[in-house]
Amino acid sequence: MTWLRDLGLGIRFAAAGGREGWARTALTAVGVGLGVAMLLVASSVPHLLEQRSLRDQAREEAAVSRTEGGVPKSETTVLRAGAATVYRGREVEGFLMRAEGSRPALPPGVTAFPAPGEMAASPALRDLLASPEGGLLKERLPYGITATIADEGLRSPGELYFYAGSDSLTPATGGHRLAAYGDDTPGTPLTPVLVVLVILICVVLLAPVAIFIATAVRFGGDRRDRRLAALRLIGTDIRTTRRIAAGEALFGSLLGLLAGLVFFLVGRRFVGHIEVWNHSAFPSDLTPAAWPAALIAVAVPLSAVLVTLVAMRSVTAEPLGVVRGSGIRRRRLWWRVLVPALGLAVLGLTGRVDEFTPVDPYPIAVGAVLVLFGLALLLPWLVEACVNLLRGGPPSWQLAVRRLQLDSGAASRAVSGIAVAVAGAVALQMLFAAMGDEFKQITGQDPARAQFHTYSETVGGDAATRTIEAFRSTEGVERVIGTVETYVTRPGKVEEGEITPTTSLSIGDCATLKELAEIGSCEEGDAFVVHPRNNKRMSDWMDETARKGKEIELNPTIDSNPGARSVRWTLPADARTVTAAPDPLGEEHWGIMATVGAVDPRTLPAARTVAQIKVDEDVKDVAEHVRNTAARIDPAMRVAALTSVTRDRQYESVQTGLRFGAVATLMLIAASMLISQMEQLRERRRLLSVLVAFGTRRVTLGWSVLWQTAVPVVISLLIATAGGLGLGAVMTWMLAKTVTRWWLFLPLAGAGGALVVAVTLLSLPLLWRLMRPDGLRTE
Amino acid sequence: MSIGHTLLGLLESGPRHGYDLKRAFDEKFGHDRPLHYGQVYATMSRLLKNGLVEVDGVETDGGPERKRYAITDAGITDVAAWLAQPEKPEPYLQSTLYTKVVLALLTGRDAADLLDAQRSEHLRLMRILTDRKRQGDLADQLICDHALFHLEADLRWLELTSARLGRLAEVVAP
Amino acid sequence: MTPAGSLLEAHDLRKTYGPTPALDGASFSVHPGEVVAVMGPSGSGKSTLLHCLAGIITPDSGTVTYGGRELSAMSDAERSALRRSDFGFVFQFGQLVPELTCVENVALPLRLNGVKRKQAERTALEWMERLEVEDLAAQRPGEVSGGQGQRVAVARALAPSPKVVFADEPTGALDSLNGERVMELLTESARTAGTAVVLVTHEARVAAYADRDVVVRDGRSRDPEYAV
């Protein structure tokens, strides 16, 4: 068991190497620890998502109350209506609730049913309402907070959620009867496209972490090699020194594991305060899954030892010094090209995937991963090849280039993380952009016309008028069109296979109707048949329902619901047929239009008050004012923003998140580059002093440090951009989309540039310090 | 240095006249002090008497008669024995410098000044030798180096002594 | 009183590192083209004196005058510029940039002075020829022996045709044969080029290559030329 003894000796060296030995071990431990903490967070994601969806489902209505025809009223049933809203871009979810009996069912996290005018709110909502920031929201949710929703009733700690008590909610005004909570139907699985995206995101964000860990294990390697040389002098053989080095690496990485665990546990306590994409997590949600955690615990020390042994292969610790063989060994190209080529081949063979057919996502993921890692493999060769081509230039450039020519290995290793992160992020962003832009094309909504669309199921006699007036007097609103709308049908049976003739009925005051059609004169009690312009077929179809002087069925559910009560209305024989006119928002409306005097909206069994609102977007918080007005009219009124803003923001947030993730990994890499740079400078302390004695300008050496970082980073950014664009294009093609934005790599390239500058600037103070003449003193 | 053995050694490459011997000796070894011809003559007659050389012939082309000497087998054995015999290292135990330093200390004079003056003198000689070495051939260089190393050894002793003057003063103080 | 016609002179230098004085009233002078050895035991302040003379460090008190200019009155940038143009340096070890080839190392001070690369390397090669190391031009310092490396360093110190070369124990890491060869080439080349040499050494045989010697002891110099 000599090797066990040697490993132990290595551990002792790492632990008892004096101040310098500890510094090196600590550096490795912190580096590995950061990486491990990130890996632990990543391995907690499945548990996090599972817990969230469990809590989410627990507060959904139970399947039992969703049966055909609904559940009967009982002591435990509750009427509720969704009252979700958006406040300054953040979603606020909640319900209006009315107990129908004395023992109403309670949602999770709530101990007492909220009385009318009161509400149970999540802690985050409570805090928001209490702060000046939430002033406008307070107007919208004017309920007294009597209870706080406990954690088990919330998806995440930062969620804005409430249950408000109501005394006016009825089934007729949108109240839905519910008997119990807890939805146990299984959720829909992720679509294949999403699976591919998720796998790619993991690779992009975690591969640099792995590379960072591998770099961290090598921290202080030069000093270690010299110590091993000293050991050789007193008679240890090469294999023993390797085992001792392995022991040191093992110790450092084990400490790193511990540090990672500590970082993770400490960081977890603050996780509730951090919001990403409007989401946060409970500390208890961040529990690493068992097998990835076990894998981390085994793989990190193991790879630390392997990396050390591989690194030592090119270094021979001879008794009288360290001999480096790296300068002689040329890097071979063929097997490095093989890996990305294989990846592309896998992708090519998989062919196109569409969004709905279930496909095996794994070949795609494997292909993408191979391409990304292939780039990392290709990089050292490319850096070497490029650097060997560089010639001439001023002394600072010459110093940097020659240094890289002598040993580009360390530089390539550090920047290979950049290559993977940037290439992956570029590819993913292209994919997201393609998907996002396509979504916009589908909706085709034009926010230049109306930005908000509201509808409410509370229909009163003056509903439409009141709604219009309320919105018109709202700050920032430019135009409003408000009507009460329903679908109407031709009474009587139709033949099998035929469709019941249907059209719409819009009820509004004369002023509103005049804006929708070329009515001319209008008096209270009038009704009109409005034909679309230039659409004969639609006009004919309408006329099958809108027969003047004949009855019309006003209950649209009459055919589908056998118990429904028929409500008939006779279209006056003197109703005029007119042509639709584009409304002030640019849209065309047709169908039957009637004044309130002709049809009393209160008689309609199923109708909605609908408003379209155009606002002046320059007015601050205009959206909040509109939503507040809506809530005042009817707390359960839905307000939809017609712009594709919501959906866009989602893509935007994924992109931002990705960008942030990539930047975070870049920073991690910058940190490791900085440490190697400082190590290298310290090694060259004497040489630097000599150069100063010569009268070398500080600027010259500063530039040389800059070039030394910049050259490999620029090469890696070039290959990452090329590779990322290629991969992005191929994957976009595979998902049957078109590349819409080619320039998404620019911010990342910028971040790479910033990284170079940051590493240089941060190593300058040390350089300045080492350039003092103290290094010349030998006595 | 044994002149007899040196001359015997020079004869080993072939018989020579006495004058040739002197010239060869001066060229190779006599940088500072050339041999007198009388010295050669006296030495050769001693060697002749001991049977280490013999007279190979006599020439008289117009001038005084000149003997040609050749080495005998006994002579060759004698040279071999001399070369094989290691020189006894100089013990250097009787040092004038040491005496001067102690006396200076005893009489209350500045011993450091004495040492410095000696140091300067040594270095001056070393500079001269170094200069000569630079202009001379290999033989010159070797001879100068021999002297330089000795002078350097003296200098080291001077340095060491000046560093220990204080203690030496305590020891020799009456 | 200062020695007349001196190129570089120091008067009553004092410099303290922490509690120990490294220089405690040292004076020194060197004439154009003169080779002066600075001798003394280890820790006597020889190297500190050299660093002060070369303007690498500034003394706590005292003056260093070069060509009529007071060094401590100059800014760091000015002193750097002076070192680039007028001074050359040879140290004991670790002075060649390991990733540059030998000829690039020799050309480096010229290039720092703004000489074009081709021209600088041509001059460098001439000096390497003079120091008999032209064969090593394309080698890296790690691939040459100690004596060869030191000769490359001497070539580098002399290549910009400085007025003064500062050599701090230039033979300290060499055996005596290599050391002597380096000293021979250094002094010979310096004398030919009219360059003054300030040679710090503790070895008498190395100091013997100089025209005269100055002894530093306990931070004080004894320069016979300099009547204090």
PDB file of all heavy atoms in Angstrom, chain C residues 7 30 34 36 50 86-90 153-154 156-168 186 190 195-200:
ATOM      1  N   LEU C   7      32.426  61.173 -14.759  1.00  0.00           N
ATOM      2  CA  LEU C   7      31.195  61.003 -15.535  1.00  0.00           C
ATOM      3  C   LEU C   7      30.012  60.842 -14.596  1.00  0.00           C
ATOM      4  O   LEU C   7      28.957  61.432 -14.783  1.00  0.00           O
ATOM      5  CB  LEU C   7      31.344  59.758 -16.429  1.00  0.00           C
ATOM      6  CG  LEU C   7      30.138  59.343 -17.240  1.00  0.00           C
ATOM      7  CD1 LEU C   7      29.813  60.408 -18.281  1.00  0.00           C
ATOM      8  CD2 LEU C   7      30.399  58.007 -17.923  1.00  0.00           C
ATOM      9  N   VAL C  30      33.255  57.721 -11.124  1.00  0.00           N
ATOM     10  CA  VAL C  30      33.839  56.968 -12.232  1.00  0.00           C
ATOM     11  C   VAL C  30      34.024  57.916 -13.407  1.00  0.00           C
ATOM     12  O   VAL C  30      33.187  58.790 -13.663  1.00  0.00           O
ATOM     13  CB  VAL C  30      32.962  55.744 -12.609  1.00  0.00           C
ATOM     14  CG1 VAL C  30      31.573  56.153 -13.039  1.00  0.00           C
ATOM     15  CG2 VAL C  30      33.634  54.894 -13.680  1.00  0.00           C
ATOM     16  N   GLU C  34      36.303  54.387 -17.754  1.00  0.00           N
ATOM     17  CA  GLU C  34      37.054  53.756 -16.674  1.00  0.00           C
ATOM     18  C   GLU C  34      36.337  52.523 -16.162  1.00  0.00           C
ATOM     19  O   GLU C  34      35.099  52.492 -16.109  1.00  0.00           O
ATOM     20  CB  GLU C  34      37.208  54.769 -15.539  1.00  0.00           C
ATOM     21  CG  GLU C  34      38.150  54.334 -14.450  1.00  0.00           C
ATOM     22  CD  GLU C  34      38.130  55.324 -13.294  1.00  0.00           C
ATOM     23  OE1 GLU C  34      37.092  55.977 -13.093  1.00  0.00           O
ATOM     24  OE2 GLU C  34      39.138  55.438 -12.601  1.00  0.00           O
ATOM     25  N   VAL C  36      35.760  50.460 -12.874  1.00  0.00           N
ATOM     26  CA  VAL C  36      35.973  50.549 -11.427  1.00  0.00           C
ATOM     27  C   VAL C  36      35.294  49.352 -10.761  1.00  0.00           C
ATOM     28  O   VAL C  36      34.140  49.062 -11.043  1.00  0.00           O
ATOM     29  CB  VAL C  36      35.380  51.843 -10.850  1.00  0.00           C
ATOM     30  CG1 VAL C  36      35.653  51.932  -9.358  1.00  0.00           C
ATOM     31  CG2 VAL C  36      35.957  53.045 -11.572  1.00  0.00           C
ATOM     32  N   LEU C  50      25.195  50.391  -6.155  1.00  0.00           N
ATOM     33  CA  LEU C  50      25.033  50.286  -7.611  1.00  0.00           C
ATOM     34  C   LEU C  50      23.637  50.752  -8.024  1.00  0.00           C
ATOM     35  O   LEU C  50      23.468  51.502  -8.985  1.00  0.00           O
ATOM     36  CB  LEU C  50      25.275  48.838  -8.062  1.00  0.00           C
ATOM     37  CG  LEU C  50      25.141  48.584  -9.556  1.00  0.00           C
ATOM     38  CD1 LEU C  50      26.339  47.807 -10.061  1.00  0.00           C
ATOM     39  CD2 LEU C  50      23.869  47.851  -9.894  1.00  0.00           C
ATOM     40  N   ASP C  86      21.549  55.655 -21.650  1.00  0.00           N
ATOM     41  CA  ASP C  86      22.948  55.860 -21.273  1.00  0.00           C
ATOM     42  C   ASP C  86      23.557  54.730 -20.456  1.00  0.00           C
ATOM     43  O   ASP C  86      24.768  54.678 -20.302  1.00  0.00           O
ATOM     44  CB  ASP C  86      23.090  57.170 -20.482  1.00  0.00           C
ATOM     45  CG  ASP C  86      22.999  58.375 -21.405  1.00  0.00           C
ATOM     46  OD1 ASP C  86      22.247  58.265 -22.394  1.00  0.00           O
ATOM     47  OD2 ASP C  86      23.672  59.393 -21.153  1.00  0.00           O
ATOM     48  N   PHE C  87      22.707  53.856 -19.876  1.00  0.00           N
ATOM     49  CA  PHE C  87      23.239  52.824 -18.998  1.00  0.00           C
ATOM     50  C   PHE C  87      22.992  51.429 -19.573  1.00  0.00           C
ATOM     51  O   PHE C  87      22.041  51.212 -20.311  1.00  0.00           O
ATOM     52  CB  PHE C  87      22.574  52.893 -17.606  1.00  0.00           C
ATOM     53  CG  PHE C  87      22.856  54.175 -16.849  1.00  0.00           C
ATOM     54  CD1 PHE C  87      22.137  54.494 -15.709  1.00  0.00           C
ATOM     55  CD2 PHE C  87      23.855  55.048 -17.260  1.00  0.00           C
ATOM     56  CE1 PHE C  87      22.394  55.669 -15.019  1.00  0.00           C
ATOM     57  CE2 PHE C  87      24.120  56.223 -16.565  1.00  0.00           C
ATOM     58  CZ  PHE C  87      23.379  56.531 -15.445  1.00  0.00           C
ATOM     59  N   GLY C  88      23.864  50.505 -19.183  1.00  0.00           N
ATOM     60  CA  GLY C  88      23.625  49.097 -19.518  1.00  0.00           C
ATOM     61  C   GLY C  88      23.764  48.289 -18.251  1.00  0.00           C
ATOM     62  O   GLY C  88      24.375  48.738 -17.285  1.00  0.00           O
ATOM     63  N   PHE C  89      23.166  47.095 -18.238  1.00  0.00           N
ATOM     64  CA  PHE C  89      23.168  46.307 -17.012  1.00  0.00           C
ATOM     65  C   PHE C  89      23.514  44.848 -17.257  1.00  0.00           C
ATOM     66  O   PHE C  89      23.062  44.249 -18.226  1.00  0.00           O
ATOM     67  CB  PHE C  89      21.799  46.368 -16.332  1.00  0.00           C
ATOM     68  CG  PHE C  89      21.454  47.740 -15.844  1.00  0.00           C
ATOM     69  CD1 PHE C  89      20.811  48.640 -16.683  1.00  0.00           C
ATOM     70  CD2 PHE C  89      21.797  48.133 -14.574  1.00  0.00           C
ATOM     71  CE1 PHE C  89      20.508  49.910 -16.251  1.00  0.00           C
ATOM     72  CE2 PHE C  89      21.502  49.400 -14.127  1.00  0.00           C
ATOM     73  CZ  PHE C  89      20.853  50.291 -14.964  1.00  0.00           C
ATOM     74  N   VAL C  90      24.304  44.280 -16.356  1.00  0.00           N
ATOM     75  CA  VAL C  90      24.537  42.838 -16.340  1.00  0.00           C
ATOM     76  C   VAL C  90      24.333  42.397 -14.898  1.00  0.00           C
ATOM     77  O   VAL C  90      24.885  43.005 -13.981  1.00  0.00           O
ATOM     78  CB  VAL C  90      25.975  42.472 -16.787  1.00  0.00           C
ATOM     79  CG1 VAL C  90      26.121  40.961 -16.837  1.00  0.00           C
ATOM     80  CG2 VAL C  90      26.302  43.090 -18.116  1.00  0.00           C
ATOM     81  N   ALA C 153      24.145  38.346 -22.107  1.00  0.00           N
ATOM     82  CA  ALA C 153      23.721  39.472 -21.273  1.00  0.00           C
ATOM     83  C   ALA C 153      24.684  40.644 -21.418  1.00  0.00           C
ATOM     84  O   ALA C 153      24.262  41.805 -21.454  1.00  0.00           O
ATOM     85  CB  ALA C 153      23.639  39.037 -19.816  1.00  0.00           C
ATOM     86  N   VAL C 154      26.013  40.348 -21.521  1.00  0.00           N
ATOM     87  CA  VAL C 154      26.986  41.416 -21.707  1.00  0.00           C
ATOM     88  C   VAL C 154      26.754  42.095 -23.052  1.00  0.00           C
ATOM     89  O   VAL C 154      26.761  43.334 -23.159  1.00  0.00           O
ATOM     90  CB  VAL C 154      28.424  40.856 -21.620  1.00  0.00           C
ATOM     91  CG1 VAL C 154      29.431  41.921 -22.038  1.00  0.00           C
ATOM     92  CG2 VAL C 154      28.722  40.380 -20.205  1.00  0.00           C
ATOM     93  N   ARG C 156      23.978  42.331 -24.526  1.00  0.00           N
ATOM     94  CA  ARG C 156      22.781  43.146 -24.397  1.00  0.00           C
ATOM     95  C   ARG C 156      23.090  44.467 -23.691  1.00  0.00           C
ATOM     96  O   ARG C 156      22.575  45.520 -24.064  1.00  0.00           O
ATOM     97  CB  ARG C 156      21.720  42.388 -23.618  1.00  0.00           C
ATOM     98  CG  ARG C 156      20.457  43.190 -23.462  1.00  0.00           C
ATOM     99  CD  ARG C 156      19.359  42.413 -22.828  1.00  0.00           C
ATOM    100  NE  ARG C 156      19.685  42.070 -21.453  1.00  0.00           N
ATOM    101  CZ  ARG C 156      18.835  41.447 -20.639  1.00  0.00           C
ATOM    102  NH1 ARG C 156      17.648  41.080 -21.087  1.00  0.00           N
ATOM    103  NH2 ARG C 156      19.171  41.156 -19.415  1.00  0.00           N
ATOM    104  N   ALA C 157      23.970  44.392 -22.664  1.00  0.00           N
ATOM    105  CA  ALA C 157      24.284  45.615 -21.928  1.00  0.00           C
ATOM    106  C   ALA C 157      25.037  46.603 -22.814  1.00  0.00           C
ATOM    107  O   ALA C 157      24.862  47.815 -22.695  1.00  0.00           O
ATOM    108  CB  ALA C 157      25.104  45.279 -20.694  1.00  0.00           C
ATOM    109  N   LEU C 158      25.877  46.080 -23.722  1.00  0.00           N
ATOM    110  CA  LEU C 158      26.721  46.953 -24.515  1.00  0.00           C
ATOM    111  C   LEU C 158      26.078  47.398 -25.817  1.00  0.00           C
ATOM    112  O   LEU C 158      26.477  48.415 -26.403  1.00  0.00           O
ATOM    113  CB  LEU C 158      28.055  46.254 -24.827  1.00  0.00           C
ATOM    114  CG  LEU C 158      28.971  46.049 -23.616  1.00  0.00           C
ATOM    115  CD1 LEU C 158      30.078  45.056 -23.945  1.00  0.00           C
ATOM    116  CD2 LEU C 158      29.567  47.384 -23.175  1.00  0.00           C
ATOM    117  N   ALA C 159      25.065  46.646 -26.273  1.00  0.00           N
ATOM    118  CA  ALA C 159      24.503  46.888 -27.599  1.00  0.00           C
ATOM    119  C   ALA C 159      24.009  48.323 -27.810  1.00  0.00           C
ATOM    120  O   ALA C 159      24.229  48.890 -28.873  1.00  0.00           O
ATOM    121  CB  ALA C 159      23.376  45.900 -27.889  1.00  0.00           C
ATOM    122  N   PRO C 160      23.336  48.950 -26.837  1.00  0.00           N
ATOM    123  CA  PRO C 160      22.869  50.317 -27.101  1.00  0.00           C
ATOM    124  C   PRO C 160      23.975  51.357 -26.985  1.00  0.00           C
ATOM    125  O   PRO C 160      23.660  52.543 -26.949  1.00  0.00           O
ATOM    126  CB  PRO C 160      21.798  50.547 -26.022  1.00  0.00           C
ATOM    127  CG  PRO C 160      21.669  49.282 -25.256  1.00  0.00           C
ATOM    128  CD  PRO C 160      22.894  48.492 -25.502  1.00  0.00           C
ATOM    129  N   SER C 161      25.263  50.933 -26.935  1.00  0.00           N
ATOM    130  CA  SER C 161      26.396  51.841 -26.748  1.00  0.00           C
ATOM    131  C   SER C 161      26.193  52.785 -25.582  1.00  0.00           C
ATOM    132  O   SER C 161      26.151  54.006 -25.754  1.00  0.00           O
ATOM    133  CB  SER C 161      26.646  52.668 -28.019  1.00  0.00           C
ATOM    134  OG  SER C 161      26.755  51.820 -29.113  1.00  0.00           O
ATOM    135  N   PRO C 162      26.063  52.212 -24.383  1.00  0.00           N
ATOM    136  CA  PRO C 162      25.814  53.059 -23.218  1.00  0.00           C
ATOM    137  C   PRO C 162      27.096  53.773 -22.789  1.00  0.00           C
ATOM    138  O   PRO C 162      28.183  53.434 -23.240  1.00  0.00           O
ATOM    139  CB  PRO C 162      25.372  52.062 -22.155  1.00  0.00           C
ATOM    140  CG  PRO C 162      26.072  50.801 -22.526  1.00  0.00           C
ATOM    141  CD  PRO C 162      26.178  50.797 -24.026  1.00  0.00           C
ATOM    142  N   LYS C 163      26.935  54.772 -21.917  1.00  0.00           N
ATOM    143  CA  LYS C 163      28.101  55.463 -21.378  1.00  0.00           C
ATOM    144  C   LYS C 163      28.650  54.689 -20.175  1.00  0.00           C
ATOM    145  O   LYS C 163      29.850  54.706 -19.918  1.00  0.00           O
ATOM    146  CB  LYS C 163      27.708  56.865 -20.908  1.00  0.00           C
ATOM    147  CG  LYS C 163      27.210  57.759 -22.035  1.00  0.00           C
ATOM    148  CD  LYS C 163      28.387  58.312 -22.814  1.00  0.00           C
ATOM    149  CE  LYS C 163      27.963  59.406 -23.772  1.00  0.00           C
ATOM    150  NZ  LYS C 163      26.984  58.937 -24.786  1.00  0.00           N
ATOM    151  N   VAL C 164      27.750  54.045 -19.426  1.00  0.00           N
ATOM    152  CA  VAL C 164      28.170  53.280 -18.255  1.00  0.00           C
ATOM    153  C   VAL C 164      27.478  51.919 -18.283  1.00  0.00           C
ATOM    154  O   VAL C 164      26.289  51.841 -18.573  1.00  0.00           O
ATOM    155  CB  VAL C 164      27.750  53.974 -16.934  1.00  0.00           C
ATOM    156  CG1 VAL C 164      28.393  53.282 -15.746  1.00  0.00           C
ATOM    157  CG2 VAL C 164      28.087  55.452 -16.958  1.00  0.00           C
ATOM    158  N   VAL C 165      28.240  50.866 -17.996  1.00  0.00           N
ATOM    159  CA  VAL C 165      27.628  49.564 -17.795  1.00  0.00           C
ATOM    160  C   VAL C 165      27.743  49.219 -16.314  1.00  0.00           C
ATOM    161  O   VAL C 165      28.822  49.334 -15.736  1.00  0.00           O
ATOM    162  CB  VAL C 165      28.305  48.465 -18.649  1.00  0.00           C
ATOM    163  CG1 VAL C 165      27.900  47.086 -18.174  1.00  0.00           C
ATOM    164  CG2 VAL C 165      27.938  48.642 -20.110  1.00  0.00           C
ATOM    165  N   PHE C 166      26.616  48.852 -15.709  1.00  0.00           N
ATOM    166  CA  PHE C 166      26.621  48.412 -14.325  1.00  0.00           C
ATOM    167  C   PHE C 166      26.583  46.896 -14.315  1.00  0.00           C
ATOM    168  O   PHE C 166      25.664  46.297 -14.875  1.00  0.00           O
ATOM    169  CB  PHE C 166      25.409  48.972 -13.578  1.00  0.00           C
ATOM    170  CG  PHE C 166      25.438  50.462 -13.467  1.00  0.00           C
ATOM    171  CD1 PHE C 166      24.825  51.261 -14.426  1.00  0.00           C
ATOM    172  CD2 PHE C 166      26.094  51.065 -12.414  1.00  0.00           C
ATOM    173  CE1 PHE C 166      24.857  52.639 -14.324  1.00  0.00           C
ATOM    174  CE2 PHE C 166      26.112  52.449 -12.300  1.00  0.00           C
ATOM    175  CZ  PHE C 166      25.499  53.233 -13.267  1.00  0.00           C
ATOM    176  N   ALA C 167      27.587  46.298 -13.686  1.00  0.00           N
ATOM    177  CA  ALA C 167      27.627  44.839 -13.649  1.00  0.00           C
ATOM    178  C   ALA C 167      27.630  44.404 -12.187  1.00  0.00           C
ATOM    179  O   ALA C 167      28.534  44.743 -11.432  1.00  0.00           O
ATOM    180  CB  ALA C 167      28.879  44.328 -14.358  1.00  0.00           C
ATOM    181  N   ASP C 168      26.553  43.692 -11.804  1.00  0.00           N
ATOM    182  CA  ASP C 168      26.408  43.277 -10.406  1.00  0.00           C
ATOM    183  C   ASP C 168      26.721  41.793 -10.304  1.00  0.00           C
ATOM    184  O   ASP C 168      25.915  40.963 -10.715  1.00  0.00           O
ATOM    185  CB  ASP C 168      24.972  43.580  -9.953  1.00  0.00           C
ATOM    186  CG  ASP C 168      24.818  43.424  -8.446  1.00  0.00           C
ATOM    187  OD1 ASP C 168      25.771  42.955  -7.790  1.00  0.00           O
ATOM    188  OD2 ASP C 168      23.739  43.770  -7.936  1.00  0.00           O
ATOM    189  N   LEU C 186      34.026  41.430 -21.383  1.00  0.00           N
ATOM    190  CA  LEU C 186      33.317  42.629 -20.918  1.00  0.00           C
ATOM    191  C   LEU C 186      34.264  43.824 -20.872  1.00  0.00           C
ATOM    192  O   LEU C 186      33.981  44.880 -21.449  1.00  0.00           O
ATOM    193  CB  LEU C 186      32.708  42.372 -19.527  1.00  0.00           C
ATOM    194  CG  LEU C 186      32.154  43.598 -18.791  1.00  0.00           C
ATOM    195  CD1 LEU C 186      31.008  44.214 -19.573  1.00  0.00           C
ATOM    196  CD2 LEU C 186      31.672  43.230 -17.397  1.00  0.00           C
ATOM    197  N   ALA C 190      34.277  46.962 -23.416  1.00  0.00           N
ATOM    198  CA  ALA C 190      33.965  48.267 -22.830  1.00  0.00           C
ATOM    199  C   ALA C 190      35.099  49.246 -23.124  1.00  0.00           C
ATOM    200  O   ALA C 190      34.861  50.395 -23.486  1.00  0.00           O
ATOM    201  CB  ALA C 190      33.755  48.131 -21.327  1.00  0.00           C
ATOM    202  N   THR C 195      33.345  52.668 -22.959  1.00  0.00           N
ATOM    203  CA  THR C 195      32.271  52.629 -21.981  1.00  0.00           C
ATOM    204  C   THR C 195      32.845  52.453 -20.591  1.00  0.00           C
ATOM    205  O   THR C 195      33.721  51.620 -20.381  1.00  0.00           O
ATOM    206  CB  THR C 195      31.339  51.429 -22.292  1.00  0.00           C
ATOM    207  OG1 THR C 195      30.881  51.559 -23.630  1.00  0.00           O
ATOM    208  CG2 THR C 195      30.159  51.389 -21.347  1.00  0.00           C
ATOM    209  N   ALA C 196      32.333  53.237 -19.643  1.00  0.00           N
ATOM    210  CA  ALA C 196      32.759  53.056 -18.256  1.00  0.00           C
ATOM    211  C   ALA C 196      32.032  51.847 -17.686  1.00  0.00           C
ATOM    212  O   ALA C 196      30.916  51.540 -18.098  1.00  0.00           O
ATOM    213  CB  ALA C 196      32.421  54.294 -17.445  1.00  0.00           C
ATOM    214  N   VAL C 197      32.688  51.132 -16.749  1.00  0.00           N
ATOM    215  CA  VAL C 197      32.048  49.970 -16.143  1.00  0.00           C
ATOM    216  C   VAL C 197      32.114  50.122 -14.630  1.00  0.00           C
ATOM    217  O   VAL C 197      33.175  50.407 -14.082  1.00  0.00           O
ATOM    218  CB  VAL C 197      32.743  48.655 -16.559  1.00  0.00           C
ATOM    219  CG1 VAL C 197      32.085  47.466 -15.864  1.00  0.00           C
ATOM    220  CG2 VAL C 197      32.707  48.470 -18.055  1.00  0.00           C
ATOM    221  N   VAL C 198      30.960  49.962 -13.987  1.00  0.00           N
ATOM    222  CA  VAL C 198      30.936  49.871 -12.532  1.00  0.00           C
ATOM    223  C   VAL C 198      30.691  48.405 -12.207  1.00  0.00           C
ATOM    224  O   VAL C 198      29.641  47.861 -12.541  1.00  0.00           O
ATOM    225  CB  VAL C 198      29.826  50.755 -11.925  1.00  0.00           C
ATOM    226  CG1 VAL C 198      29.785  50.574 -10.415  1.00  0.00           C
ATOM    227  CG2 VAL C 198      30.061  52.203 -12.290  1.00  0.00           C
ATOM    228  N   LEU C 199      31.692  47.777 -11.610  1.00  0.00           N
ATOM    229  CA  LEU C 199      31.675  46.336 -11.459  1.00  0.00           C
ATOM    230  C   LEU C 199      31.562  45.997  -9.978  1.00  0.00           C
ATOM    231  O   LEU C 199      32.487  46.263  -9.208  1.00  0.00           O
ATOM    232  CB  LEU C 199      32.970  45.778 -12.063  1.00  0.00           C
ATOM    233  CG  LEU C 199      33.328  44.330 -11.814  1.00  0.00           C
ATOM    234  CD1 LEU C 199      32.356  43.427 -12.542  1.00  0.00           C
ATOM    235  CD2 LEU C 199      34.747  44.062 -12.296  1.00  0.00           C
ATOM    236  N   VAL C 200      30.429  45.450  -9.579  1.00  0.00           N
ATOM    237  CA  VAL C 200      30.265  45.054  -8.189  1.00  0.00           C
ATOM    238  C   VAL C 200      30.661  43.596  -8.048  1.00  0.00           C
ATOM    239  O   VAL C 200      30.167  42.744  -8.783  1.00  0.00           O
ATOM    240  CB  VAL C 200      28.810  45.260  -7.728  1.00  0.00           C
ATOM    241  CG1 VAL C 200      28.555  44.493  -6.442  1.00  0.00           C
ATOM    242  CG2 VAL C 200      28.528  46.735  -7.522  1.00  0.00           C
TER     243      VAL C 200
END
